Every structure is written in structure tokens, then in C-alpha cells.
Amino acid sequence: MIRQLSSSQTALSFTELNPEPGVKMTLSFQSPRKSFTVNYIGVKSDASVICSMPKVAASLNLEGQRLTVKMMAGNRMCAFSCRLIKSFVHPYPHWHLEYPSVVNHHTVRYHPRIPVNMAVSVDHQDEQQGIHLGLPRIVHTRDISLEGMGLESPVPLGQVGDELFVTMRFDLNGLDQVLLLAVQLQNVEEVELGVFLHGVKFDHMEEDSALIMTAFVYQCYLSELGYLHEHP
């Protein structure tokens, strides 16, 4: 299930939010305009927030610079502004960020799918059935989730229960990815003349493919919510 932000925003203390160590943090500096993804480590007596220091930032003097932090804490998407107090290289590279007085957050709720419009190739796992149905065929996705996707086609792609292959090509954080996924056709509906919607469920996805797909789905989710931005 994909999670969706609620419309309300509230503020809590960092201690009340209690994020898990290891959670990813996005740090966006105002001057110079730099963004980094780091790991949350912990807090120091409510005086500073400790996170890892990215290797590419080791040669930059960012102490005292203001930044915006975004991170997840349980089912909350959190954001706060602070200063980078101190950089340390021993015993390991890490940063101390100014402890925030309050943290703005949105509660995250569950939503089955998010809208995604992209071209994919669909083929039948049974070669003879594929020839009969005129497959492979390029169709477009309507939506996507961690469990499956909705496909739009001018003709039916098969019958409920049929096993298909979906080939997807997409950009994942600047890297070109191609996935061949086994899916099962769950439903077919003609919503208007010459427009058929298909619901397919991912089937027996390999671990590497599952990790890439999960990252892609959440990239689409965060992009839809406006939490992704171009890195300077």
C-alpha cells in the first residue's frame, strides 16, 4: 500500500517524534545551495541532532550554515530548519545539527495506488496466447503500487487469471533501469468504447527487482507530493 500525506500539518518536538536511528535525512543548505542524503544517528542531550557526514561534503566548510531537514519518523513526514553546528571526522565523519525547537510534520495515511502515466510493453507468458492477442503491445500505465499496477489499452490484454510479462524502463535517481516483471491479470473493464483498463498484480518478483520497484514507487509517490527536487 502506498502512503499519502494528510492535508493537516502540526508541530511536535523532535523528542516526541522519536525517529529511528538509520532513517534517511535530506539536508538542503541555503548557501551554498547543496543537498545531501545522510543517515540519522541520534541526539545529544536535546542539544544537537547527530547525522552522518557525506564524503562529498568533507572538503566543504558548512559550519554555521542554515539548512532544511526532511525525514520520516514513523508514519510522519517531518521538516525543520536549523544550522550545522559542528563537523567531526573522528571517530567517524558526522555532523551535529542545531536541535530544533519544533518540527513540522504531516501524518501519513495509506492509499492503494498513485497515478503514473508511462509507456510499458506487455506480452503473454504463453507464446501462442500472445500471438492470438496481438502481443507484445505498448500500453500505458494508469497507476502503480507496491503490489501491482493499472494498465490502459485499446484492446483486452487477456482474461482474468492470465499470466503476463510487463517490461518497464524508467529513471531512478538519475540511473536508467529496465525491469521485466511477471504479473497476473486481476480484472479487465471496458470503461468506454475502445478503452480497456486492466489491473495486474506483481507475481514472484526477484529480490533485486523488488528493491528497484519499491524505490521507483516511492520516488513517484514523493514526486507526486512535491518532496523531490532537482539537486543543484
PDB file of all heavy atoms in Angstrom, residues 3-9 26 28 35 37 68-72 76-80 104-108 218-231:
ATOM      1  N   ARG A   3       1.554   5.179   0.779  1.00  0.00           N
ATOM      2  CA  ARG A   3       1.114   6.087   1.821  1.00  0.00           C
ATOM      3  C   ARG A   3       0.938   7.493   1.271  1.00  0.00           C
ATOM      4  O   ARG A   3       1.679   7.946   0.430  1.00  0.00           O
ATOM      5  CB  ARG A   3       2.117   6.062   2.973  1.00  0.00           C
ATOM      6  CG  ARG A   3       2.166   4.708   3.634  1.00  0.00           C
ATOM      7  CD  ARG A   3       3.140   4.689   4.767  1.00  0.00           C
ATOM      8  NE  ARG A   3       4.505   4.844   4.292  1.00  0.00           N
ATOM      9  CZ  ARG A   3       5.554   4.790   5.091  1.00  0.00           C
ATOM     10  NH1 ARG A   3       5.405   4.589   6.372  1.00  0.00           N
ATOM     11  NH2 ARG A   3       6.771   4.940   4.614  1.00  0.00           N
ATOM     12  N   GLN A   4      -0.057   8.176   1.788  1.00  0.00           N
ATOM     13  CA  GLN A   4      -0.396   9.500   1.300  1.00  0.00           C
ATOM     14  C   GLN A   4      -0.446  10.483   2.449  1.00  0.00           C
ATOM     15  O   GLN A   4      -0.942  10.169   3.530  1.00  0.00           O
ATOM     16  CB  GLN A   4      -1.764   9.434   0.607  1.00  0.00           C
ATOM     17  CG  GLN A   4      -2.302  10.777   0.156  1.00  0.00           C
ATOM     18  CD  GLN A   4      -3.601  10.610  -0.571  1.00  0.00           C
ATOM     19  OE1 GLN A   4      -3.656  10.069  -1.658  1.00  0.00           O
ATOM     20  NE2 GLN A   4      -4.675  11.050   0.045  1.00  0.00           N
ATOM     21  N   LEU A   5       0.070  11.685   2.227  1.00  0.00           N
ATOM     22  CA  LEU A   5       0.069  12.682   3.289  1.00  0.00           C
ATOM     23  C   LEU A   5      -1.336  13.211   3.524  1.00  0.00           C
ATOM     24  O   LEU A   5      -2.100  13.428   2.594  1.00  0.00           O
ATOM     25  CB  LEU A   5       0.977  13.849   2.912  1.00  0.00           C
ATOM     26  CG  LEU A   5       2.476  13.536   2.845  1.00  0.00           C
ATOM     27  CD1 LEU A   5       3.230  14.809   2.524  1.00  0.00           C
ATOM     28  CD2 LEU A   5       2.976  12.934   4.124  1.00  0.00           C
ATOM     29  N   SER A   6      -1.675  13.432   4.770  1.00  0.00           N
ATOM     30  CA  SER A   6      -2.933  14.084   5.093  1.00  0.00           C
ATOM     31  C   SER A   6      -2.805  15.566   4.810  1.00  0.00           C
ATOM     32  O   SER A   6      -1.725  16.095   4.619  1.00  0.00           O
ATOM     33  CB  SER A   6      -3.291  13.865   6.564  1.00  0.00           C
ATOM     34  OG  SER A   6      -2.392  14.581   7.386  1.00  0.00           O
ATOM     35  N   SER A   7      -3.926  16.269   4.815  1.00  0.00           N
ATOM     36  CA  SER A   7      -3.900  17.691   4.483  1.00  0.00           C
ATOM     37  C   SER A   7      -3.494  18.562   5.665  1.00  0.00           C
ATOM     38  O   SER A   7      -3.172  19.718   5.509  1.00  0.00           O
ATOM     39  CB  SER A   7      -5.279  18.133   3.991  1.00  0.00           C
ATOM     40  OG  SER A   7      -6.252  17.884   4.980  1.00  0.00           O
ATOM     41  N   SER A   8      -3.516  18.012   6.855  1.00  0.00           N
ATOM     42  CA  SER A   8      -3.214  18.808   8.033  1.00  0.00           C
ATOM     43  C   SER A   8      -1.737  18.739   8.374  1.00  0.00           C
ATOM     44  O   SER A   8      -1.065  17.763   8.102  1.00  0.00           O
ATOM     45  CB  SER A   8      -4.037  18.316   9.229  1.00  0.00           C
ATOM     46  OG  SER A   8      -3.725  16.972   9.525  1.00  0.00           O
ATOM     47  N   GLN A   9      -1.231  19.810   8.967  1.00  0.00           N
ATOM     48  CA  GLN A   9       0.159  19.850   9.401  1.00  0.00           C
ATOM     49  C   GLN A   9       0.190  20.341  10.833  1.00  0.00           C
ATOM     50  O   GLN A   9      -0.473  21.307  11.193  1.00  0.00           O
ATOM     51  CB  GLN A   9       0.976  20.762   8.504  1.00  0.00           C
ATOM     52  CG  GLN A   9       2.422  20.917   8.952  1.00  0.00           C
ATOM     53  CD  GLN A   9       3.236  21.704   7.959  1.00  0.00           C
ATOM     54  OE1 GLN A   9       3.293  21.371   6.796  1.00  0.00           O
ATOM     55  NE2 GLN A   9       3.874  22.756   8.424  1.00  0.00           N
ATOM     56  N   THR A  26      17.165  14.199   4.362  1.00  0.00           N
ATOM     57  CA  THR A  26      17.557  15.048   3.246  1.00  0.00           C
ATOM     58  C   THR A  26      17.895  16.427   3.787  1.00  0.00           C
ATOM     59  O   THR A  26      17.044  17.087   4.390  1.00  0.00           O
ATOM     60  CB  THR A  26      16.427  15.161   2.199  1.00  0.00           C
ATOM     61  OG1 THR A  26      16.123  13.866   1.694  1.00  0.00           O
ATOM     62  CG2 THR A  26      16.849  16.063   1.043  1.00  0.00           C
ATOM     63  N   SER A  28      19.093  20.205   2.938  1.00  0.00           N
ATOM     64  CA  SER A  28      19.169  21.196   1.865  1.00  0.00           C
ATOM     65  C   SER A  28      19.730  22.495   2.425  1.00  0.00           C
ATOM     66  O   SER A  28      19.060  23.186   3.203  1.00  0.00           O
ATOM     67  CB  SER A  28      17.789  21.429   1.250  1.00  0.00           C
ATOM     68  OG  SER A  28      17.258  20.229   0.712  1.00  0.00           O
ATOM     69  N   SER A  35      22.481  19.879  -1.583  1.00  0.00           N
ATOM     70  CA  SER A  35      21.580  18.918  -0.943  1.00  0.00           C
ATOM     71  C   SER A  35      22.310  17.598  -0.753  1.00  0.00           C
ATOM     72  O   SER A  35      23.047  17.153  -1.646  1.00  0.00           O
ATOM     73  CB  SER A  35      20.316  18.704  -1.783  1.00  0.00           C
ATOM     74  OG  SER A  35      19.521  19.861  -1.814  1.00  0.00           O
ATOM     75  N   THR A  37      21.898  13.479   1.138  1.00  0.00           N
ATOM     76  CA  THR A  37      21.130  12.460   1.836  1.00  0.00           C
ATOM     77  C   THR A  37      22.052  11.776   2.832  1.00  0.00           C
ATOM     78  O   THR A  37      23.111  11.254   2.448  1.00  0.00           O
ATOM     79  CB  THR A  37      20.546  11.424   0.862  1.00  0.00           C
ATOM     80  OG1 THR A  37      19.673  12.085  -0.060  1.00  0.00           O
ATOM     81  CG2 THR A  37      19.753  10.365   1.622  1.00  0.00           C
ATOM     82  N   THR A  68      17.576  23.085   5.675  1.00  0.00           N
ATOM     83  CA  THR A  68      16.271  22.485   5.936  1.00  0.00           C
ATOM     84  C   THR A  68      16.438  20.973   5.947  1.00  0.00           C
ATOM     85  O   THR A  68      17.127  20.411   5.094  1.00  0.00           O
ATOM     86  CB  THR A  68      15.251  22.883   4.852  1.00  0.00           C
ATOM     87  OG1 THR A  68      15.106  24.308   4.863  1.00  0.00           O
ATOM     88  CG2 THR A  68      13.900  22.236   5.115  1.00  0.00           C
ATOM     89  N   VAL A  69      15.817  20.336   6.923  1.00  0.00           N
ATOM     90  CA  VAL A  69      15.905  18.883   7.077  1.00  0.00           C
ATOM     91  C   VAL A  69      14.535  18.268   6.818  1.00  0.00           C
ATOM     92  O   VAL A  69      13.517  18.745   7.328  1.00  0.00           O
ATOM     93  CB  VAL A  69      16.379  18.499   8.498  1.00  0.00           C
ATOM     94  CG1 VAL A  69      16.428  16.975   8.653  1.00  0.00           C
ATOM     95  CG2 VAL A  69      17.728  19.125   8.802  1.00  0.00           C
ATOM     96  N   LYS A  70      14.507  17.198   6.009  1.00  0.00           N
ATOM     97  CA  LYS A  70      13.291  16.413   5.807  1.00  0.00           C
ATOM     98  C   LYS A  70      13.613  14.955   6.081  1.00  0.00           C
ATOM     99  O   LYS A  70      14.652  14.445   5.656  1.00  0.00           O
ATOM    100  CB  LYS A  70      12.770  16.576   4.372  1.00  0.00           C
ATOM    101  CG  LYS A  70      12.243  17.970   4.066  1.00  0.00           C
ATOM    102  CD  LYS A  70      11.727  18.076   2.646  1.00  0.00           C
ATOM    103  CE  LYS A  70      11.210  19.476   2.357  1.00  0.00           C
ATOM    104  NZ  LYS A  70      10.722  19.618   0.956  1.00  0.00           N
ATOM    105  N   MET A  71      12.709  14.290   6.805  1.00  0.00           N
ATOM    106  CA  MET A  71      12.930  12.904   7.177  1.00  0.00           C
ATOM    107  C   MET A  71      11.617  12.267   7.599  1.00  0.00           C
ATOM    108  O   MET A  71      10.626  12.967   7.838  1.00  0.00           O
ATOM    109  CB  MET A  71      13.937  12.814   8.327  1.00  0.00           C
ATOM    110  CG  MET A  71      13.452  13.473   9.617  1.00  0.00           C
ATOM    111  SD  MET A  71      14.732  13.571  10.911  1.00  0.00           S
ATOM    112  CE  MET A  71      15.097  11.841  11.180  1.00  0.00           C
ATOM    113  N   MET A  72      11.601  10.938   7.674  1.00  0.00           N
ATOM    114  CA  MET A  72      10.438  10.216   8.173  1.00  0.00           C
ATOM    115  C   MET A  72      10.661   9.857   9.635  1.00  0.00           C
ATOM    116  O   MET A  72      11.781   9.511  10.041  1.00  0.00           O
ATOM    117  CB  MET A  72      10.204   8.929   7.375  1.00  0.00           C
ATOM    118  CG  MET A  72       9.763   9.140   5.941  1.00  0.00           C
ATOM    119  SD  MET A  72       8.139   9.924   5.783  1.00  0.00           S
ATOM    120  CE  MET A  72       7.089   8.692   6.587  1.00  0.00           C
ATOM    121  N   ARG A  76       5.140   9.687   9.993  1.00  0.00           N
ATOM    122  CA  ARG A  76       5.096  11.138   9.809  1.00  0.00           C
ATOM    123  C   ARG A  76       6.242  11.594   8.896  1.00  0.00           C
ATOM    124  O   ARG A  76       7.382  11.167   9.046  1.00  0.00           O
ATOM    125  CB  ARG A  76       5.220  11.862  11.150  1.00  0.00           C
ATOM    126  CG  ARG A  76       4.083  11.591  12.137  1.00  0.00           C
ATOM    127  CD  ARG A  76       4.307  12.391  13.405  1.00  0.00           C
ATOM    128  NE  ARG A  76       3.184  12.298  14.329  1.00  0.00           N
ATOM    129  CZ  ARG A  76       3.151  11.493  15.374  1.00  0.00           C
ATOM    130  NH1 ARG A  76       4.181  10.700  15.622  1.00  0.00           N
ATOM    131  NH2 ARG A  76       2.103  11.474  16.181  1.00  0.00           N
ATOM    132  N   MET A  77       5.913  12.468   7.954  1.00  0.00           N
ATOM    133  CA  MET A  77       6.916  13.152   7.154  1.00  0.00           C
ATOM    134  C   MET A  77       7.249  14.458   7.856  1.00  0.00           C
ATOM    135  O   MET A  77       6.372  15.301   8.060  1.00  0.00           O
ATOM    136  CB  MET A  77       6.384  13.419   5.741  1.00  0.00           C
ATOM    137  CG  MET A  77       7.358  14.173   4.856  1.00  0.00           C
ATOM    138  SD  MET A  77       8.778  13.185   4.354  1.00  0.00           S
ATOM    139  CE  MET A  77       8.044  12.202   3.043  1.00  0.00           C
ATOM    140  N   CYS A  78       8.502  14.625   8.247  1.00  0.00           N
ATOM    141  CA  CYS A  78       8.892  15.745   9.112  1.00  0.00           C
ATOM    142  C   CYS A  78       9.807  16.726   8.379  1.00  0.00           C
ATOM    143  O   CYS A  78      10.550  16.345   7.466  1.00  0.00           O
ATOM    144  CB  CYS A  78       9.629  15.222  10.348  1.00  0.00           C
ATOM    145  SG  CYS A  78       8.741  13.945  11.243  1.00  0.00           S
ATOM    146  N   ALA A  79       9.761  17.985   8.811  1.00  0.00           N
ATOM    147  CA  ALA A  79      10.635  19.017   8.257  1.00  0.00           C
ATOM    148  C   ALA A  79      10.934  20.055   9.328  1.00  0.00           C
ATOM    149  O   ALA A  79      10.064  20.415  10.117  1.00  0.00           O
ATOM    150  CB  ALA A  79       9.983  19.674   7.041  1.00  0.00           C
ATOM    151  N   PHE A  80      12.184  20.512   9.353  1.00  0.00           N
ATOM    152  CA  PHE A  80      12.548  21.594  10.266  1.00  0.00           C
ATOM    153  C   PHE A  80      13.776  22.320   9.715  1.00  0.00           C
ATOM    154  O   PHE A  80      14.514  21.789   8.874  1.00  0.00           O
ATOM    155  CB  PHE A  80      12.812  21.083  11.689  1.00  0.00           C
ATOM    156  CG  PHE A  80      13.933  20.082  11.813  1.00  0.00           C
ATOM    157  CD1 PHE A  80      15.241  20.504  12.054  1.00  0.00           C
ATOM    158  CD2 PHE A  80      13.686  18.727  11.714  1.00  0.00           C
ATOM    159  CE1 PHE A  80      16.279  19.590  12.199  1.00  0.00           C
ATOM    160  CE2 PHE A  80      14.728  17.801  11.839  1.00  0.00           C
ATOM    161  CZ  PHE A  80      16.009  18.234  12.089  1.00  0.00           C
ATOM    162  N   ASN A 104       7.767  20.565  12.134  1.00  0.00           N
ATOM    163  CA  ASN A 104       6.510  20.457  11.399  1.00  0.00           C
ATOM    164  C   ASN A 104       6.402  19.062  10.796  1.00  0.00           C
ATOM    165  O   ASN A 104       7.402  18.507  10.310  1.00  0.00           O
ATOM    166  CB  ASN A 104       6.438  21.506  10.290  1.00  0.00           C
ATOM    167  CG  ASN A 104       6.357  22.916  10.842  1.00  0.00           C
ATOM    168  OD1 ASN A 104       5.674  23.171  11.835  1.00  0.00           O
ATOM    169  ND2 ASN A 104       7.086  23.844  10.243  1.00  0.00           N
ATOM    170  N   HIS A 105       5.218  18.502  10.810  1.00  0.00           N
ATOM    171  CA  HIS A 105       5.065  17.154  10.253  1.00  0.00           C
ATOM    172  C   HIS A 105       3.668  16.961   9.684  1.00  0.00           C
ATOM    173  O   HIS A 105       2.708  17.617  10.086  1.00  0.00           O
ATOM    174  CB  HIS A 105       5.347  16.092  11.326  1.00  0.00           C
ATOM    175  CG  HIS A 105       4.287  16.015  12.392  1.00  0.00           C
ATOM    176  ND1 HIS A 105       3.182  15.216  12.284  1.00  0.00           N
ATOM    177  CD2 HIS A 105       4.170  16.655  13.583  1.00  0.00           C
ATOM    178  CE1 HIS A 105       2.429  15.359  13.358  1.00  0.00           C
ATOM    179  NE2 HIS A 105       3.012  16.229  14.167  1.00  0.00           N
ATOM    180  N   HIS A 106       3.597  16.075   8.706  1.00  0.00           N
ATOM    181  CA  HIS A 106       2.331  15.605   8.148  1.00  0.00           C
ATOM    182  C   HIS A 106       2.161  14.152   8.562  1.00  0.00           C
ATOM    183  O   HIS A 106       3.105  13.363   8.477  1.00  0.00           O
ATOM    184  CB  HIS A 106       2.336  15.658   6.617  1.00  0.00           C
ATOM    185  CG  HIS A 106       2.341  17.036   6.039  1.00  0.00           C
ATOM    186  ND1 HIS A 106       1.215  17.804   5.922  1.00  0.00           N
ATOM    187  CD2 HIS A 106       3.356  17.776   5.526  1.00  0.00           C
ATOM    188  CE1 HIS A 106       1.526  18.959   5.352  1.00  0.00           C
ATOM    189  NE2 HIS A 106       2.819  18.974   5.107  1.00  0.00           N
ATOM    190  N   THR A 107       0.960  13.789   8.966  1.00  0.00           N
ATOM    191  CA  THR A 107       0.677  12.382   9.227  1.00  0.00           C
ATOM    192  C   THR A 107       0.481  11.673   7.897  1.00  0.00           C
ATOM    193  O   THR A 107      -0.166  12.181   6.993  1.00  0.00           O
ATOM    194  CB  THR A 107      -0.586  12.224  10.092  1.00  0.00           C
ATOM    195  OG1 THR A 107      -0.364  12.888  11.338  1.00  0.00           O
ATOM    196  CG2 THR A 107      -0.886  10.759  10.354  1.00  0.00           C
ATOM    197  N   VAL A 108       1.064  10.484   7.785  1.00  0.00           N
ATOM    198  CA  VAL A 108       0.984   9.707   6.556  1.00  0.00           C
ATOM    199  C   VAL A 108      -0.118   8.667   6.693  1.00  0.00           C
ATOM    200  O   VAL A 108      -0.194   7.957   7.690  1.00  0.00           O
ATOM    201  CB  VAL A 108       2.347   9.019   6.294  1.00  0.00           C
ATOM    202  CG1 VAL A 108       2.260   8.067   5.124  1.00  0.00           C
ATOM    203  CG2 VAL A 108       3.405  10.069   6.047  1.00  0.00           C
ATOM    204  N   TYR A 218       8.166   4.648  -4.551  1.00  0.00           N
ATOM    205  CA  TYR A 218       8.270   5.723  -3.569  1.00  0.00           C
ATOM    206  C   TYR A 218       8.823   7.005  -4.184  1.00  0.00           C
ATOM    207  O   TYR A 218       8.493   8.105  -3.742  1.00  0.00           O
ATOM    208  CB  TYR A 218       9.099   5.279  -2.362  1.00  0.00           C
ATOM    209  CG  TYR A 218       8.255   4.543  -1.357  1.00  0.00           C
ATOM    210  CD1 TYR A 218       8.183   3.162  -1.349  1.00  0.00           C
ATOM    211  CD2 TYR A 218       7.468   5.239  -0.448  1.00  0.00           C
ATOM    212  CE1 TYR A 218       7.385   2.483  -0.456  1.00  0.00           C
ATOM    213  CE2 TYR A 218       6.665   4.578   0.453  1.00  0.00           C
ATOM    214  CZ  TYR A 218       6.620   3.202   0.446  1.00  0.00           C
ATOM    215  OH  TYR A 218       5.806   2.545   1.324  1.00  0.00           O
ATOM    216  N   GLN A 219       9.655   6.866  -5.210  1.00  0.00           N
ATOM    217  CA  GLN A 219      10.105   8.054  -5.934  1.00  0.00           C
ATOM    218  C   GLN A 219       8.905   8.741  -6.594  1.00  0.00           C
ATOM    219  O   GLN A 219       8.766   9.969  -6.529  1.00  0.00           O
ATOM    220  CB  GLN A 219      11.132   7.660  -6.998  1.00  0.00           C
ATOM    221  CG  GLN A 219      11.597   8.815  -7.872  1.00  0.00           C
ATOM    222  CD  GLN A 219      12.651   8.385  -8.871  1.00  0.00           C
ATOM    223  OE1 GLN A 219      13.841   8.409  -8.583  1.00  0.00           O
ATOM    224  NE2 GLN A 219      12.231   7.985 -10.060  1.00  0.00           N
ATOM    225  N   CYS A 220       8.018   7.947  -7.204  1.00  0.00           N
ATOM    226  CA  CYS A 220       6.803   8.503  -7.819  1.00  0.00           C
ATOM    227  C   CYS A 220       5.917   9.142  -6.752  1.00  0.00           C
ATOM    228  O   CYS A 220       5.352  10.227  -6.948  1.00  0.00           O
ATOM    229  CB  CYS A 220       6.026   7.405  -8.547  1.00  0.00           C
ATOM    230  SG  CYS A 220       6.852   6.728  -9.983  1.00  0.00           S
ATOM    231  N   TYR A 221       5.810   8.468  -5.626  1.00  0.00           N
ATOM    232  CA  TYR A 221       4.979   8.961  -4.522  1.00  0.00           C
ATOM    233  C   TYR A 221       5.476  10.303  -3.994  1.00  0.00           C
ATOM    234  O   TYR A 221       4.719  11.273  -3.874  1.00  0.00           O
ATOM    235  CB  TYR A 221       4.981   7.894  -3.434  1.00  0.00           C
ATOM    236  CG  TYR A 221       4.636   8.353  -2.041  1.00  0.00           C
ATOM    237  CD1 TYR A 221       3.365   8.799  -1.726  1.00  0.00           C
ATOM    238  CD2 TYR A 221       5.603   8.293  -1.037  1.00  0.00           C
ATOM    239  CE1 TYR A 221       3.069   9.198  -0.437  1.00  0.00           C
ATOM    240  CE2 TYR A 221       5.294   8.682   0.251  1.00  0.00           C
ATOM    241  CZ  TYR A 221       4.028   9.133   0.542  1.00  0.00           C
ATOM    242  OH  TYR A 221       3.749   9.531   1.814  1.00  0.00           O
ATOM    243  N   LEU A 222       6.772  10.391  -3.732  1.00  0.00           N
ATOM    244  CA  LEU A 222       7.331  11.635  -3.209  1.00  0.00           C
ATOM    245  C   LEU A 222       7.304  12.745  -4.254  1.00  0.00           C
ATOM    246  O   LEU A 222       7.094  13.908  -3.924  1.00  0.00           O
ATOM    247  CB  LEU A 222       8.758  11.398  -2.718  1.00  0.00           C
ATOM    248  CG  LEU A 222       8.890  10.496  -1.487  1.00  0.00           C
ATOM    249  CD1 LEU A 222      10.359  10.196  -1.197  1.00  0.00           C
ATOM    250  CD2 LEU A 222       8.234  11.132  -0.266  1.00  0.00           C
ATOM    251  N   SER A 223       7.506  12.376  -5.521  1.00  0.00           N
ATOM    252  CA  SER A 223       7.421  13.371  -6.593  1.00  0.00           C
ATOM    253  C   SER A 223       6.012  13.929  -6.699  1.00  0.00           C
ATOM    254  O   SER A 223       5.812  15.142  -6.869  1.00  0.00           O
ATOM    255  CB  SER A 223       7.856  12.741  -7.918  1.00  0.00           C
ATOM    256  OG  SER A 223       7.748  13.667  -8.974  1.00  0.00           O
ATOM    257  N   GLU A 224       5.021  13.055  -6.576  1.00  0.00           N
ATOM    258  CA  GLU A 224       3.616  13.477  -6.639  1.00  0.00           C
ATOM    259  C   GLU A 224       3.295  14.456  -5.515  1.00  0.00           C
ATOM    260  O   GLU A 224       2.511  15.389  -5.680  1.00  0.00           O
ATOM    261  CB  GLU A 224       2.712  12.241  -6.536  1.00  0.00           C
ATOM    262  CG  GLU A 224       1.234  12.535  -6.644  1.00  0.00           C
ATOM    263  CD  GLU A 224       0.788  12.821  -8.062  1.00  0.00           C
ATOM    264  OE1 GLU A 224       1.587  12.618  -8.985  1.00  0.00           O
ATOM    265  OE2 GLU A 224      -0.355  13.288  -8.226  1.00  0.00           O
ATOM    266  N   LEU A 225       3.938  14.265  -4.357  1.00  0.00           N
ATOM    267  CA  LEU A 225       3.678  15.118  -3.209  1.00  0.00           C
ATOM    268  C   LEU A 225       4.548  16.384  -3.193  1.00  0.00           C
ATOM    269  O   LEU A 225       4.359  17.245  -2.351  1.00  0.00           O
ATOM    270  CB  LEU A 225       3.925  14.337  -1.908  1.00  0.00           C
ATOM    271  CG  LEU A 225       2.980  13.163  -1.655  1.00  0.00           C
ATOM    272  CD1 LEU A 225       3.478  12.347  -0.481  1.00  0.00           C
ATOM    273  CD2 LEU A 225       1.563  13.619  -1.424  1.00  0.00           C
ATOM    274  N   GLY A 226       5.502  16.454  -4.122  1.00  0.00           N
ATOM    275  CA  GLY A 226       6.354  17.638  -4.199  1.00  0.00           C
ATOM    276  C   GLY A 226       7.549  17.606  -3.263  1.00  0.00           C
ATOM    277  O   GLY A 226       8.165  18.637  -3.011  1.00  0.00           O
ATOM    278  N   TYR A 227       7.898  16.414  -2.750  1.00  0.00           N
ATOM    279  CA  TYR A 227       9.023  16.329  -1.822  1.00  0.00           C
ATOM    280  C   TYR A 227      10.345  16.024  -2.509  1.00  0.00           C
ATOM    281  O   TYR A 227      11.392  15.987  -1.874  1.00  0.00           O
ATOM    282  CB  TYR A 227       8.754  15.255  -0.760  1.00  0.00           C
ATOM    283  CG  TYR A 227       7.915  15.775   0.375  1.00  0.00           C
ATOM    284  CD1 TYR A 227       6.529  15.733   0.300  1.00  0.00           C
ATOM    285  CD2 TYR A 227       8.500  16.318   1.505  1.00  0.00           C
ATOM    286  CE1 TYR A 227       5.744  16.219   1.326  1.00  0.00           C
ATOM    287  CE2 TYR A 227       7.716  16.810   2.544  1.00  0.00           C
ATOM    288  CZ  TYR A 227       6.346  16.762   2.458  1.00  0.00           C
ATOM    289  OH  TYR A 227       5.566  17.247   3.472  1.00  0.00           O
ATOM    290  N   LEU A 228      10.310  15.794  -3.827  1.00  0.00           N
ATOM    291  CA  LEU A 228      11.550  15.601  -4.558  1.00  0.00           C
ATOM    292  C   LEU A 228      11.859  16.865  -5.332  1.00  0.00           C
ATOM    293  O   LEU A 228      10.978  17.512  -5.871  1.00  0.00           O
ATOM    294  CB  LEU A 228      11.427  14.414  -5.537  1.00  0.00           C
ATOM    295  CG  LEU A 228      11.435  13.024  -4.925  1.00  0.00           C
ATOM    296  CD1 LEU A 228      11.470  11.987  -6.020  1.00  0.00           C
ATOM    297  CD2 LEU A 228      12.632  12.824  -4.000  1.00  0.00           C
ATOM    298  N   HIS A 229      13.146  17.200  -5.397  1.00  0.00           N
ATOM    299  CA  HIS A 229      13.560  18.375  -6.134  1.00  0.00           C
ATOM    300  C   HIS A 229      14.867  18.093  -6.827  1.00  0.00           C
ATOM    301  O   HIS A 229      15.567  17.132  -6.506  1.00  0.00           O
ATOM    302  CB  HIS A 229      13.723  19.584  -5.201  1.00  0.00           C
ATOM    303  CG  HIS A 229      14.646  19.329  -4.050  1.00  0.00           C
ATOM    304  ND1 HIS A 229      14.225  18.774  -2.860  1.00  0.00           N
ATOM    305  CD2 HIS A 229      15.975  19.490  -3.928  1.00  0.00           C
ATOM    306  CE1 HIS A 229      15.247  18.647  -2.043  1.00  0.00           C
ATOM    307  NE2 HIS A 229      16.337  19.070  -2.670  1.00  0.00           N
ATOM    308  N   GLU A 230      15.189  18.912  -7.808  1.00  0.00           N
ATOM    309  CA  GLU A 230      16.446  18.738  -8.546  1.00  0.00           C
ATOM    310  C   GLU A 230      17.625  19.102  -7.650  1.00  0.00           C
ATOM    311  O   GLU A 230      17.598  20.109  -6.954  1.00  0.00           O
ATOM    312  CB  GLU A 230      16.464  19.643  -9.791  1.00  0.00           C
ATOM    313  CG  GLU A 230      15.401  19.289 -10.821  1.00  0.00           C
ATOM    314  CD  GLU A 230      15.653  17.932 -11.449  1.00  0.00           C
ATOM    315  OE1 GLU A 230      16.834  17.569 -11.554  1.00  0.00           O
ATOM    316  OE2 GLU A 230      14.687  17.249 -11.826  1.00  0.00           O
ATOM    317  N   HIS A 231      18.644  18.274  -7.714  1.00  0.00           N
ATOM    318  CA  HIS A 231      19.862  18.573  -6.960  1.00  0.00           C
ATOM    319  C   HIS A 231      20.684  19.601  -7.709  1.00  0.00           C
ATOM    320  O   HIS A 231      20.895  19.480  -8.911  1.00  0.00           O
ATOM    321  CB  HIS A 231      20.698  17.305  -6.752  1.00  0.00           C
ATOM    322  CG  HIS A 231      20.093  16.374  -5.763  1.00  0.00           C
ATOM    323  ND1 HIS A 231      20.589  16.222  -4.486  1.00  0.00           N
ATOM    324  CD2 HIS A 231      19.009  15.569  -5.827  1.00  0.00           C
ATOM    325  CE1 HIS A 231      19.849  15.337  -3.829  1.00  0.00           C
ATOM    326  NE2 HIS A 231      18.888  14.918  -4.633  1.00  0.00           N
TER     327      HIS A 231
END
